[in-house]
Amino acid sequence: MPEVNTDHLDEQQVQLLAEMCILIDENDNRIGADTKKNCHLNENIDKGLLHRAFSVFLFNTENKLLLQQRSNAKITFPDCFTNTCCSHPLSHPLELEENDAIGVRRAAQRRLKAELGIPMEQVPPEEISYLTRIHYKAKSDGIWGEHEIDYILFVQKDVTLNPDPNEIQSYCYVTQKELKQLLDKASKNEVKITPWFKLIAETFLFKWWDNLSNLNKFVDHEKIHRM
């Protein structure tokens, strides 16, 4: 594996690079584990290294979507606006369990607490809906990038927020109209958004958003959308 100097990077974020992500093949079959660092180096991604991830879309009872702006300490896609929470299940027994994506949903509960300070009892895994998966690849800069099969998770609930500033520099609830305005700004390079959020917003998000009370018809656990 390539050696990369991380001395200039945020200390707290560098510590997280030691976490063990779940390695998968292109059909989301588990084939091993590797560090978050190795999973996010473009040099390895270019050789096909692929890991499991998730993206949470949390809506309040007014049907507004919670967005976050990633902190400038983040190693990949700093300062970018994105959906509520994006991270990885880790290679340990509770989050490796695949039945009904329970391991991924437990990971989402963990990261909603870590990033946004949402008490774990407010977002139990059984209240997190797993819709479908997307497979995408994107470079953050010359060294770091993403190559993931991303589980799309929806939650609708009013929650308590206490974000970690090392993870998140700002957050807001938006209407569909406000999100469209943000996407328009991003298209003019006035703000930055993450590539996975852009892909999801341009394809599925508004259709799902219109059907928050009837998401079952969009559940597809067979297909992996290649984007």
Side-chain angles (χ1 to χ4, degrees), residues 25 28 36 48 72 76 83-84 87-88 114 118 121 124 141 160 171-172 178 209 215 225:
D25 66 16
D28 194 27
K36 182 179 174 186
N72 59 14
T76 56
N83 50 288
T84 312
S87 191
H88 320 95
I118 300 172
E121 64 271 14
D141 57 26
T160 308
Y171 64 93
C172 57
E178 288 164 340
W209 198 337
L215 285 171
H225 301 273

Side-chain angles (χ1 to χ4, degrees), residues 58-66 154-158 173-179 205-206 208-214:
L58 185 146
F59 301 81
N60 64 14
T61 51
E62 296 177 358
N63 288 355
K64 291 182 177 178
L65 172 62
L66 179 59
F154 268 46
V155 189
Q156 184 162 27
K157 194 159 192 189
D158 292 329
Y173 283 96
V174 295
T175 62
Q176 289 198 21
K177 181 180 178 183
E178 288 164 340
L179 178 55
L205 177 57
F206 292 100
W208 291 334
W209 198 337
D210 285 334
N211 291 274
L212 287 178
S213 58
N214 187 25

Side-chain angles (χ1 to χ4, degrees), residues 5 17 19 47 50 63 128 132 158 163 173 177 185 209:
N5 188 331
L17 290 176
E19 291 182 335
K47 295 171 185 168
L50 176 64
N63 288 355
I128 299 173
T132 191
D158 292 329
Y173 283 96
K177 181 180 178 183
K185 283 185 175 179
W209 198 337

Side-chain angles (χ1 to χ4, degrees), residues 1 4 7 9 13 35 39 50-52 56 93 99-100 104 112 116 130 132 135 147 155 163 165 173 177 205 218:
M1 290 294 181
V4 172
D7 294 348
L9 299 174
Q13 292 296 322
T35 62
C39 287
L50 176 64
H51 63 279
R52 191 174 285 163
V56 179
N99 185 35
D100 201 24
V104 173
L112 286 165
L116 288 148
Y130 160 41
T132 191
H135 177 187
H147 187 209
V155 189
Y173 283 96
K177 181 180 178 183
L205 177 57
F218 298 108

Side-chain angles (χ1 to χ4, degrees), residues 14-67:
V14 168
Q15 287 175 352
L16 294 173
L17 290 176
E19 291 182 335
M20 296 300 287
C21 292
I22 300 166
L23 297 183
I24 49 176
D25 66 16
E26 295 223 337
N27 295 312
D28 194 27
N29 298 304
R30 182 160 55 93
I31 56 172
D34 207 339
T35 62
K36 182 179 174 186
K37 177 183 176 182
N38 284 334
C39 287
H40 290 83
L41 289 171
N42 290 326
E43 189 172 339
N44 297 329
I45 290 168
D46 290 342
K47 295 171 185 168
L49 202 66
L50 176 64
H51 63 279
R52 191 174 285 163
F54 62 82
S55 286
V56 179
F57 293 77
L58 185 146
F59 301 81
N60 64 14
T61 51
E62 296 177 358
N63 288 355
K64 291 182 177 178
L65 172 62
L66 179 59
L67 299 186

